[in-house]
Amino acid sequence: MRLKGKLIKINQEQVINDKFKKREFIIETFDEKYPQTINFQLNNNNVSLIDDFNVGEAVEVEFRISGKLWTDKNGVERCFNNLVCINLFITETQVLYKKDVEPVTKHYVENEDDLPF
């Protein structure tokens, strides 16, 4: 699955134990009438995928849904879901939002050899 949005927060890496570490980040969707704030998680070797990204950038997140059933000490079952990021991309067009101003578009050039000059 994939989702596009503006990167609004990058959290620090958390080491849970010697076999598991995670890092969370939040995007806000902008392709919808009512933008959604979505939390994603990077696990283990993927925690560094977000190192070259900055808050405010338009990104596309490739992710999978992970779920676990858990029973508390009173015998009550709960299901927990995580959106686990598999890959992260800067979108071709960067939309920068400013209050009370029309969106400004910033284009990224992927290969400078394709320039006409």
Side-chain angles (χ1 to χ4, degrees):
M1 300 176 118
R2 289 188 176 215
L3 187 65
K4 292 181 182 180
K6 180 174 72 168
L7 188 57
I8 60 172
K9 186 172 184 177
I10 302 171
N11 293 330
Q12 295 296 316
E13 179 182 310
Q14 297 176 301
V15 177
I16 306 303
N17 59 43
D18 60 339
K19 295 181 182 178
F20 183 72
K21 59 185 174 180
K22 69 178 185 174
R23 189 170 186 186
E24 296 179 335
F25 64 94
I26 300 170
I27 70 167
E28 182 179 81
T29 61
F30 47 66
D31 290 338
E32 301 173 329
K33 182 177 179 181
Y34 301 105
Q36 300 295 309
T37 305
I38 311 290
N39 187 67
F40 290 94
Q41 179 176 305
L42 294 157
N43 295 334
N44 294 325
N45 294 336
N46 286 342
V47 296
S48 62
L49 281 178
I50 202 160
D51 287 348
D52 294 329
F53 292 83
N54 298 303
V55 170
E57 289 183 314
V59 296
E60 184 172 350
V61 182
E62 182 178 359
F63 66 97
R64 65 180 172 81
I65 299 172
S66 171
K68 294 182 179 162
L69 194 58
W70 177 74
T71 305
D72 70 12
K73 62 183 178 181
N74 298 320
V76 177
E77 286 187 335
R78 294 190 58 185
C79 185
F80 292 94
N81 299 313
N82 290 317
L83 303 179
V84 180
C85 177
I86 300 167
N87 216 336
L88 190 61
F89 311 93
I90 288 183
T91 59
E92 292 179 17
T93 302
Q94 169 72 44
V95 179
L96 304 172
Y97 293 94
K98 295 183 179 178
K99 189 174 183 178
D100 301 325
V101 178
E102 289 295 316
V104 177
T105 302
K106 178 180 174 185
H107 298 279
Y108 284 92
V109 177
E110 292 193 19
N111 186 353
E112 293 183 7
D113 294 337
D114 293 339
L115 295 175
F117 49 86

